[in-house]
Structures are given as structure tokens and as C-alpha cells.
Amino acid sequence: MKITLDQLQVLDAIDHHGSFTAAAAVLHRVPSALSHAVAKLESDLGTPLFIREGRRAILNDAGRSLLTDGRHLLRAAQELERRVQRIATGWEAELRIGIDAIIPSERIFPLIRRFYDAGHHTRISLANEVLGGTWDALAADRADLVLGAPGDPPARGGISSRLLCRTVMRLVVAAGHPLASWQGPLPSSELMRHRAIVIADTSRELSARTIGLLEGQDVLRVPDMRAKAQAQIAGLGVGHLPAWLADPEIAAGRLVELQLADPRPALQSHIAWRNRQIGKALRWFLDELAQPATLAMLSEGLGSS
């Protein structure tokens, strides 16, 4: 075969990180090794795969087509490795947990501490996801378990879920924002005239989702929920925040809550997981996440269970 899994992994890293140098750092290899791997693949296939623009490397149409299908092979190979390890011991070598931006990552630390204190040695990997990116992480095999997945699950097999809580978000602006003095319920037509502060959906394969964003509304995208709160406190725009972030700022007078004329319903947030051949580490976390005290810890300041 002219294509190897190693070469596909190199293409995937370059595509995600934008350059040979950045990809080499992630893969713990030297850039020349990646250049050699790509050059050999291009030579074997008889076609270039990248467009070089300065230090950036961008896949051309042939490279994009190869990587799109190649990622299915990479996921299959990774899942095969994990399946063999689970069959051999029952314990996963690694458990990947995705956490939606609405939940502070540190809330899961006590749970991980209990896992380690129980003497379990499965490696835990945490990643932040946003909106549909939580479901996408499961569907695309980036995560085994996700916390706070919003809305309905995708129409795909292999995923199970249960309700974490019904999330109620506060629509807030800075005290000095033009909307702060608005009297009465705020119509969508007026809201659309003002910039929204949003966190971009992290989906890679499934369709991206938006919540509370009006079509045609100007946006400022920020990297995480705390940055979103700070951007709104700075008066840069309007947006929804969870109660655990919004309420202290409202009490301090830095943010003002608005009421929509057409308020959106509470959003269901879920615990979700890949349900094919559940290993012992995932089962341990699912059992712990069924405990009322653990659920209360995760969902505090988000809404109602």
C-alpha cells in the first residue's frame, strides 16, 4: 500500500495546526521528518497534497479528499487499539472526557481525584468543547464521555445519554451598554442591532449549532466562557451567561440582566458517552455521575435537574 497510517496522522496534524513546525511539536518529531513523510507520500501518489503559503501549509483538493477519508481509517485504527486493550484487561489505557464550556472544568477534579485515590491507572484526558462540539466529539471519536452536551443528540448510533440538568442562561449586558437602560421586555428586532459575544461551536464533522444568536447579528467570537463574561463586562456586546458567572457580576453592578419579549425555553444539558464496549473506567465514571451529590456539583448555577 502507498498510504500508511503514520502519513495520515502527519497530514491530520499539519491540517489542524497549520504548519509542519507546529505539527512536529505536537507529534514530538522534527519538522524534517514530517517533510520527508509528506514528500514520500506525494511522490508515491504522483500528486502534490499541499499549497505552501509562507510558513503555512494548506491542503489542496487532492490532499483534502485524502485526509477526509483517511481520518476514518485513523479513528478505526485508534478504536482497534483501545478495543484490544479493553479486551485484555477490561480497563481503558485512556479515557477522554469532553466538557462543555458552560461547566467549569475544575468541577470534575474531585471526581478524578476519587478515581486516582481508588488506585485506578487509566490515563484521563480532558478537552473543552462548545455546543454541538460535545456531540461531535463523541461521533468523531475524540471523546468517550462528555459533560453538558446541549440539546438533542445527533441521529447517529453508538451514543447514549441522560439528562444532567435543564440549563437557564441569563441575557446580560454591561451597566454602561446602551441596552442596560431598556425598559420592559426586549424585542428581537432591537437585540439584533447590537453585537453578540459568542463562543464558536467546536464541531468538526457535524453541523455547528448556535443558541440565542439572531441571523445577521454582528458577533465577536471569544475562546471560552470566562472570556465571554469579561468581554460583556467590558461593554463589547450582549450575550447569555450561566448563573454561576452572571449572578455575582449582576450583584456587583457590573452586568444588567435583560428580559426578552420572546424568551427561549430552558436548554437540556446531558451526560453522554460512546456505548460500544464500555470499559471499566468509563463504567466507574458513569456510576459516579449517577450520584445526586455529583450531579449537584456539576450543575450548580446552571439550572434545574
Side-chain angles (χ1 to χ4, degrees), residues 74-124:
L74 287 174
R75 286 198 295 271
Q78 291 162 354
E79 175 56 32
L80 177 60
E81 289 178 354
R82 289 192 292 272
R83 186 162 64 249
V84 170
Q85 290 164 339
R86 286 196 298 269
I87 290 171
T89 68
W91 289 93
E92 305 91 325
E94 180 182 36
L95 185 71
R96 304 159 301 164
I97 303 175
I99 306 174
D100 186 78
I102 198 173
I103 299 176
S105 297
E106 60 268 22
R107 290 190 181 181
I108 197 176
F109 292 167
L111 192 58
I112 295 174
R113 168 52 62 191
R114 294 204 296 274
F115 182 79
Y116 290 152
D117 287 347
H120 305 313
H121 300 291
T122 294
R123 184 170 61 250
I124 304 298

Side-chain angles (χ1 to χ4, degrees), residues 8 43 46 50 55 101 112 132 138 165 168 192 197 217 225-226 240 260 288 294:
L8 291 174
S43 175
F50 283 94
R55 294 185 178 181
I112 295 174
L138 292 173
C165 66
V168 179
M192 197 176 84
I197 311 297
Q217 190 174 15
M225 191 63 73
R226 287 187 170 90
H240 290 83
L260 285 172
E288 289 293 317
T294 304

Side-chain angles (χ1 to χ4, degrees), residues 1 28-29 37 47 68 78 112 124 163 170 274 280:
M1 294 182 64
H28 305 292
R29 297 164 69 174
T47 181
T68 298
Q78 291 162 354
I112 295 174
I124 304 298
L163 182 67
R170 309 263 196 263
R274 291 172 60 85
K280 292 181 179 179

Side-chain angles (χ1 to χ4, degrees), residues 33-236:
L34 271 61
S35 297
H36 176 75
V38 171
K40 185 177 188 310
L41 180 58
E42 290 177 327
S43 175
D44 289 344
L45 294 177
T47 181
L49 300 173
F50 283 94
I51 301 170
R52 273 79 169 180
E53 295 182 353
R55 294 185 178 181
R56 289 192 57 79
I58 302 172
L59 287 167
N60 60 21
D61 290 344
R64 177 61 58 195
S65 177
L66 171 62
L67 182 56
T68 298
D69 290 336
R71 280 176 172 150
H72 297 298
L73 298 177
L74 287 174
R75 286 198 295 271
Q78 291 162 354
E79 175 56 32
L80 177 60
E81 289 178 354
R82 289 192 292 272
R83 186 162 64 249
V84 170
Q85 290 164 339
R86 286 196 298 269
I87 290 171
T89 68
W91 289 93
E92 305 91 325
E94 180 182 36
L95 185 71
R96 304 159 301 164
I97 303 175
I99 306 174
D100 186 78
I102 198 173
I103 299 176
S105 297
E106 60 268 22
R107 290 190 181 181
I108 197 176
F109 292 167
L111 192 58
I112 295 174
R113 168 52 62 191
R114 294 204 296 274
F115 182 79
Y116 290 152
D117 287 347
H120 305 313
H121 300 291
T122 294
R123 184 170 61 250
I124 304 298
S125 176
L126 302 180
N128 293 320
E129 300 289 348
V130 179
L131 295 175
T134 50
W135 298 112
D136 184 89
L138 292 173
D141 194 23
R142 297 197 309 277
D144 306 298
L145 169 69
V146 296
L147 308 177
D152 296 327
R156 291 197 179 190
I159 296 174
S160 295
S161 65
R162 61 184 182 228
L163 182 67
L164 170 61
C165 66
R166 292 176 175 83
T167 304
V168 179
M169 303 283 278
R170 309 263 196 263
L171 178 64
V172 291
V173 293
H177 190 278
L179 286 177
S181 58
W182 187 272
Q183 299 297 314
L186 181 70
S188 297
S189 57
E190 180 62 28
L191 181 62
M192 197 176 84
R193 296 179 56 245
H194 299 271
R195 183 185 304 108
I197 311 297
V198 302
I199 312 172
D201 187 293
T202 52
S203 296
R204 298 181 188 176
E205 297 188 13
L206 301 179
S207 298
R209 303 186 184 192
T210 61
I211 296 177
L213 184 64
L214 302 174
E215 186 176 355
Q217 190 174 15
D218 184 28
V219 298
L220 169 62
R221 288 185 171 82
V222 294
D224 54 51
M225 191 63 73
R226 287 187 170 90
K228 187 176 191 295
Q230 291 303 312
Q232 292 181 219
I233 291 169
L236 299 179

